[in-house]
């Protein structure tokens, strides 16, 4: 019962804030709605027993990435409305309609596939020797997923170098 | 019902009130200590030695007119102080003030990460305050503040990784208990990390020598220039609440939290009877939370002392210290800690 | 009513579509970047919900990777945006047509 109430409240918040992000004309307000959206998603992670991801979501998304967005919004000191000029060949309504169609299709797939049979929990991964959410994720990252983990770190390094090269006026 | 709702609510009420009241007395203490450092008397008029100044100041701020500039973004202007105060108060939910479950609101298994992530939200209040004021000094100050907070947050977070490695847990209570088990406060195991976190803490709370976001001489008061009355008071509360957070975190991570001095000499030197006088068992008579608040007070005093002593850095010096000194040292500290932990222990 | 993984999947699909609409309809490129973040979050919700449903933490591990990719994407994307803004003084993607022939 509690989970039902929490889920519907959070879903309404997440979707409402998501719509607010893409409809607000003021970019700074939009960024703020995005932060609130991410915080609600973090709460949903807590409901889903993923407390490590909830904290990482707040730390990386809300505390890092979105601050970067806010910074760029302030650096990009716009003299005219960014939406002022529209390409005459742009078909926004068609895009909206197609997105609605995809939503219907996804909803159909979800309802169909989950209603056919209650899929039994597959055999859990090989019993990890540690307890607790953080420990288990750490264990998986440093055993089975060591190479993807290292690749991700290289990706971040490349992104860092690339961002500096792109943003610096002259090297 | 009582365990799940009423007792936690009661604890939250006590902690919130305690923080807010201690902030007002922190302000008084700061004025007094700086006055002594400068051979003045400080506030003397209200009450004996000016003690009641701590009560009069908030009343004055509440009663003052609350001005919103005409060109300001009204919603953001109101939201910004709230956004900067709330994270500072939320952090106290995982700070262990004492050894018993009675003395902390909750203990979650990602406690330290929770503290880091929630304090990282506080930067929004500062950026939005500067932006919503629609005035040039606050905007400059808020961009400076955001750059400073993000830079030093990286350094502090990386330093805390080495503490996490030493303790082997993220829970705040677990970290203090690890110090009891190993017999050493982590301040002695990780002195470099302690210094880095303390310097980073000074920068994160915008204290001298890192108070560029509110440098009066250059920015007429910084991101809260346009604020008055209660909304200004919220920024003030947030700044001092953050100081208390830093003091509490440093106490819990490096100086044994609620543990008394020499927590486990017996465990360290079981065979040496001559050292048994160091056991100091009579110190157990003092309750654990007294130790915690005593240690915290030392660090709060140190904050004020530094403010009375040091001049302000230039902006380029500030950035250089953050990126070219603190972060490399923090990384080296992680590597050394990991090597020692894996191969030498 | 019990909350099943299907509920989370539907929430995820709806958030995903909101992000897609943002990408398709808005012309301010900063909003488009934020819509991409919304899309990645929708994927993450789905992964975490199924990680709990299947009692297998691999889903959560993948969320860690998704967050890393999102951070890299934001850094590089905003770097490109700043470099572009310095030359063209606009963030409207309908005016970003120098590469088109």
């Amino acid at each position: 019962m509690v989970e039902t109430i929490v889920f519907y409240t959070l879903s309404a918040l997440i979707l409402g804030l998501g719509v607010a992000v893409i409809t607000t004309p003021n970019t700074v307000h939009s960024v703020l709605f995005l932060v609130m959206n991410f915080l609600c998603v973090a709460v949903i992670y807590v409901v889903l027993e993923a407390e490590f991801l909830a904290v990482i979501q707040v730390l990386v998304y809300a505390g890092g990435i979105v601050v970067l967005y806010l910074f760029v919004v302030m650096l990009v000191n716009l003299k005219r409305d960014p939406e002022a000029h529209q390409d005459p060949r742009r078909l926004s309504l068609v895009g909206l309609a197609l997105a609605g169609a995809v939503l219907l299709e996804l909803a159909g797939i979800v309802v169909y596939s989950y209603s056919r049979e209650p899929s039994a929990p597959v055999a859990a991964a090989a019993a990890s020797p540690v307890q607790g959410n953080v420990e288990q994720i750490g264990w998986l990252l440093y055993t089975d997923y060591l190479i993807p983990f290292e690749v991700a770190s290289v990706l971040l390094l490349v992104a860092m170098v690339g961002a500096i090269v792109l943003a610096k006026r002259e090297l | 019902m009582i365990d799940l709702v009423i007792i936690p609510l009661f604890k939250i009420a006590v902690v919130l009130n305690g923080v807010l009241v201690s902030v007002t007395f922190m302000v008084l203490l700061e004025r007094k200590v700086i006055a002594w450092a400068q051979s003045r008397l400080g506030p003397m008029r209200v009450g004996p030695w000016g003690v009641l100044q701590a009560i009069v100041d908030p009343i004055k701020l509440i009663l003052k007119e609350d001005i919103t500039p005409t060109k300001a973004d009204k919603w953001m202007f109101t939201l910004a102080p709230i956004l900067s105060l709330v994270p500072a108060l939320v952090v106290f939910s995982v700070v262990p003030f004492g050894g018993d479950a009675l003395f902390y609101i909750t203990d979650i298994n990602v406690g330290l990460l929770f503290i880091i992530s929630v304090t990282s939200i506080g930067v929004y209040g500062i950026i939005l305050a500067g932006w919503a004021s629609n005035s040039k000094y606050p905007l400059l100050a808020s961009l400076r503040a955001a750059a400073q907070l993000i830079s030093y947050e990286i350094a502090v977070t990386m330093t805390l990784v080495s503490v996490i490695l030493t303790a082997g847990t993220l829970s705040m209570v677990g970290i203090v208990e690890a110090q009891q088990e190993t017999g050493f406060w982590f301040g002695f195991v990780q002195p470099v990390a302690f210094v880095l976190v303390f310097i980073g803490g000074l920068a994160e709370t915008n204290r001298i020598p890192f108070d560029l976001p509110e440098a009066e001489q250059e920015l007429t008061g910084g991101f809260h220039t346009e604020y008055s009355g209660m909304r200004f008071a919220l920024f003030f509360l947030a700044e001092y609440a953050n100081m208390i957070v830093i003091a509490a975190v440093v106490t819990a991570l490096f100086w044994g939290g609620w543990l008394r001095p020499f927590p486990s000499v017996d465990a360290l030197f079981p065979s040496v009877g001559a050292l048994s006088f160091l056991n100091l068992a009579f110190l157990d008579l003092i309750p654990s939370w007294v130790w915690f608040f005593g240690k915290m007070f030392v660090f709060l005093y140190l904050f004020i002392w530094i403010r009375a002593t040091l001049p302000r850095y230039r902006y380029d010096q500030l950035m250089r210290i953050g990126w070219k000194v603190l972060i490399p040292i923090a990384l080296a500290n992680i590597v050394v800690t990991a090597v020692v932990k894996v191969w030498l222990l | 009513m019990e909350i099943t993984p299907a509920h989370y999947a539907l929430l995820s699909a709806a958030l995903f579509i909101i992000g897609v609409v943002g990408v398709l309809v808005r012309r301010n490129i900063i909003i488009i970047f934020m819509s991409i973040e919304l899309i990645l979050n929708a994927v993450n919700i789905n992964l975490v919900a199924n990680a709990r449903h299947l009692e297998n933490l691999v889903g959560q591990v993948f969320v860690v990777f998704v967050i890393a990719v999102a951070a890299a994407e934001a850094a590089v994307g905003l770097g490109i945006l700043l470099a572009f803004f310095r030359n063209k003084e606009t963030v409207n993607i309908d005016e970003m047509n120098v590469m088109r022939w």
Side-chain angles (χ1 to χ4, degrees):
Chain A
M1 188 58 208
V2 176
E3 197 192 348
T4 313
I5 298 170
V6 170
F7 174 79
Y8 282 112
T9 317
L10 282 176
S11 304
L13 274 173
I14 288 174
L15 297 180
L17 289 167
V19 171
V21 168
I22 64 166
T23 51
T24 318
N26 187 327
T27 320
V28 173
H29 292 189
S30 192
V31 174
L32 202 67
F33 286 129
L34 190 71
V35 180
M36 295 179 190
N37 190 321
F38 287 166
L39 294 181
C40 293
V41 173
V43 178
I44 254 196
Y45 289 169
V46 174
V47 175
L48 288 169
E49 298 164 6
E51 57 264 23
F52 177 71
L53 287 180
V55 174
I56 289 295
Q57 168 94 3
V58 176
L59 182 62
V60 176
Y61 267 121
I65 295 177
V66 183
V67 175
L68 204 61
Y69 279 104
L70 205 50
F71 243 95
V72 171
V73 171
M74 290 180 176
L75 283 178
V76 175
N77 186 12
L78 290 172
K79 294 185 183 63
R80 59 206 169 97
D81 184 20
E83 309 269 336
H85 174 269
Q86 182 170 6
D87 193 325
R89 280 163 293 181
R90 171 177 274 274
L91 301 170
S92 292
L93 278 177
V94 177
L96 213 57
L98 281 178
V102 176
L103 176 60
L104 283 180
E105 187 188 352
L106 280 178
I109 293 171
V110 167
V111 170
Y112 174 72
S113 56
Y114 278 101
S115 64
R116 264 197 322 175
E117 74 215 58
S119 53
V122 294
S128 74
V130 286
Q131 292 300 312
N133 184 256
V134 190
E135 288 86 347
Q136 283 177 341
I137 290 182
W139 181 264
L140 279 173
L141 274 179
Y142 281 95
T143 53
D144 292 356
Y145 293 90
L146 181 62
I147 291 173
F149 185 64
E150 295 296 331
V151 172
S153 72
V154 173
L155 174 73
L156 284 172
L157 180 67
V158 171
M160 193 167 73
V161 173
I164 292 170
V165 169
L166 282 168
K168 224 169 151 54
R169 269 158 225 266
E170 72 276 350
L171 286 173
Chain B
M1 185 67 186
I2 287 181
D3 279 350
L4 272 177
V5 179
I6 295 174
I7 291 180
L9 278 179
F10 180 71
K11 284 188 201 165
I12 290 168
V14 169
V15 168
L16 281 186
N17 282 303
V19 170
L20 296 181
V21 169
S22 53
V23 164
T24 63
F25 281 93
M26 270 291 296
V27 177
L28 176 69
L29 181 77
E30 176 150 24
R31 292 177 67 178
K32 277 289 188 187
V33 171
I34 290 178
W36 294 332
Q38 297 167 347
S39 306
R40 294 186 285 118
L41 284 173
M44 289 294 280
R45 297 278 172 182
V46 194
W49 297 286
V51 170
L52 293 182
Q53 189 77 35
I55 298 159
V56 179
D57 266 346
I59 294 176
K60 179 196 76 176
L61 280 170
I62 291 169
L63 294 181
K64 271 198 168 185
E65 188 188 355
D66 195 6
I67 302 166
T68 310
T70 328
K71 290 273 183 73
D73 185 329
K74 304 263 179 326
W75 277 94
M76 294 286 163
F77 196 75
T78 312
L79 196 61
I82 302 170
L83 271 181
S84 82
L85 177 63
V86 168
L89 295 178
V90 168
V91 169
F92 285 100
S93 58
V94 294
V95 172
F97 293 105
D100 193 87
L102 196 63
F103 297 119
Y104 45 86
I105 294 174
T106 180
D107 175 39
I108 54 177
N109 63 351
V110 285
L112 187 52
L113 267 182
F114 178 81
I115 291 180
I116 298 169
S117 61
V118 170
T119 46
S120 72
I121 298 291
V123 66
Y124 285 106
I126 292 174
I127 303 183
L128 290 175
W131 184 79
S133 301
N134 206 353
S135 162
K136 52 176 156 317
Y137 287 128
L139 186 63
L140 276 177
S142 72
L143 282 178
R144 273 190 185 187
Q148 172 177 337
L149 288 182
I150 294 172
S151 312
Y152 280 81
E153 196 181 285
I154 298 171
V156 169
T157 308
M158 285 190 171
T159 314
L160 292 180
V161 170
S162 54
V163 179
I164 296 166
L165 277 175
T166 317
T169 174
L170 285 170
S171 141
M172 292 299 279
V173 174
I175 288 173
V176 177
E177 278 167 356
Q179 299 179 52
Q180 187 160 26
E181 280 160 26
T182 51
F184 285 111
W185 293 353
F186 288 160
F188 300 111
V189 186
Q190 294 274 6
V192 180
F194 164 65
V195 173
L196 290 187
V197 169
F198 193 77
I199 294 174
L202 280 176
E204 294 241 341
T205 47
N206 299 335
R207 299 284 300 181
I208 283 179
F210 301 109
D211 68 334
L212 283 134
E214 40 202 77
E216 287 86 354
Q217 291 84 350
E218 310 164 20
L219 295 170
T220 67
F223 56 86
H224 47 55
T225 303
E226 303 287 345
Y227 281 84
S228 62
M230 199 55 213
R231 282 184 274 193
F232 173 75
L234 289 184
F235 278 119
F236 216 67
L237 280 174
E239 187 179 329
Y240 281 85
N242 271 323
M243 274 171 66
I244 299 178
V245 167
I246 299 285
V249 169
V250 165
T251 304
L253 294 188
F254 295 105
W255 301 104
W258 67 79
L259 304 176
R260 64 180 177 80
F262 305 105
S264 46
V265 170
D266 288 341
L268 272 183
F269 310 107
S271 57
V272 187
L275 279 172
S276 61
F277 71 92
L278 274 178
N279 195 1
L280 302 175
F282 65 90
L283 287 176
D284 280 333
L285 292 176
I286 301 172
S288 57
W289 54 271
V290 173
W291 287 113
F292 193 91
F293 287 117
K295 293 170 187 173
M296 233 169 82
F297 183 80
V298 171
F299 289 109
L300 290 175
Y301 191 88
L302 200 56
F303 272 117
I304 299 171
W305 188 5
I306 289 173
R307 170 164 178 188
T309 311
L310 293 180
R312 180 184 301 137
Y313 279 117
R314 275 201 326 267
Y315 193 66
D316 58 321
Q317 291 172 324
L318 171 99
M319 281 294 149
R320 200 178 61 216
I321 292 171
W323 287 97
K324 294 188 179 170
V325 179
L326 293 190
I327 291 179
I329 295 179
L331 282 172
N333 198 35
I334 292 176
V335 173
V336 171
T337 310
V339 167
V340 170
K341 175 106 183 172
V342 171
W343 278 304
L344 301 184
L345 288 182
Chain C
M1 196 170 77
E2 204 200 344
I3 299 299
T4 58
H7 288 79
Y8 287 102
L10 283 176
L11 167 66
S12 167
L15 190 59
F16 187 91
I17 294 301
I18 290 173
V20 170
V21 170
V23 172
L24 290 179
V25 175
R26 290 303 297 262
R27 300 191 294 281
N28 183 343
I29 195 161
I30 300 175
I31 307 272
I32 291 178
F33 274 129
M34 292 199 277
S35 305
I36 295 173
E37 302 293 342
L38 284 181
I39 292 174
L40 291 171
N41 260 277
V43 174
N44 285 352
I45 292 175
N46 208 351
L47 282 171
V48 175
N50 279 307
R52 186 175 84 154
H53 175 59
L54 303 174
E55 293 170 2
N56 192 330
L57 281 179
V58 174
Q60 297 192 13
V61 172
F62 271 79
V63 174
V64 174
F65 293 137
V66 172
I67 290 177
V69 171
E73 173 253 318
V76 175
L78 293 175
I80 293 174
L81 171 62
L82 276 182
F84 187 86
F85 181 78
R86 219 177 286 132
N87 293 326
K88 297 275 285 184
E89 292 274 316
T90 180
V91 290
N92 184 340
I93 55 161
D94 279 359
E95 297 173 40
M96 294 187 178
N97 48 13
V98 280
M99 294 278 283
R100 200 164 64 193
W101 202 250

